[in-house]
Amino acid sequence: MPTLLNVTLNTSTNPWTVNIDQSGKANHVPRSSSAQTITWQLTGNAAKGSFVSLKDAHPGFEWGDVSPPSGIFSDTKISTDGNQLTMNDLNENAVAVGEWIYLLRVNFDGTVYSSIVAKLQGTNTNPSIKNN
């Protein structure tokens, strides 16, 4: 089952920050024997932006302090127009169960903004992928 996470800019912060809508547990990925696609879509006030392409395996994306074990997540890919970021999640066994915090970067009108990663675990500002 594909997972869609809508991404906007939080203009109430200074500087602006990238906001990932995780309401309704949109960031939870159920167990499956097949890889599942996670898609981040720039919407609303961020729709005309683009994910930042970096020269590494995860363009526009960075794991937080703890990276998941290898083999669970694929490299990320940015769409041609830059407004979608996708990754596959192979949540097929107990090794894949966990919650991983990440950071997204978006270029909007020539300025790069990123999501907030709070140092305190359990805050609702941390964007994460949770494999159940």
Side-chain angles (χ1 to χ4, degrees), residues 60-126:
F61 183 97
E62 181 181 330
W63 291 113
D65 290 341
V66 179
S67 295
S70 64
I72 298 172
F73 297 100
S74 71
D75 294 346
T76 56
K77 292 183 175 84
I78 297 176
S79 63
T80 304
D81 61 5
N83 68 357
Q84 276 191 347
L85 180 72
T86 58
M87 169 189 284
N88 289 326
D89 180 349
L90 185 57
N91 181 10
E92 65 178 346
N93 55 40
V95 174
V97 172
E99 184 171 12
W100 295 279
I101 295 170
Y102 62 87
L103 183 94
L104 289 182
R105 290 185 181 86
V106 173
N107 184 327
F108 186 79
D109 280 343
T111 302
V112 175
Y113 301 99
S114 65
S115 53
I116 295 174
V117 176
K119 291 296 182 187
L120 299 174
Q121 294 296 322
T123 67
N124 61 3
T125 58
N126 284 336

Side-chain angles (χ1 to χ4, degrees), residues 1-5 26 28-30 34-39 86-88:
M1 174 201 292
T3 299
L4 177 64
L5 297 168
H28 289 218
V29 178
S34 300
Q36 300 171 76
T37 301
I38 301 170
T39 301
T86 58
M87 169 189 284
N88 289 326

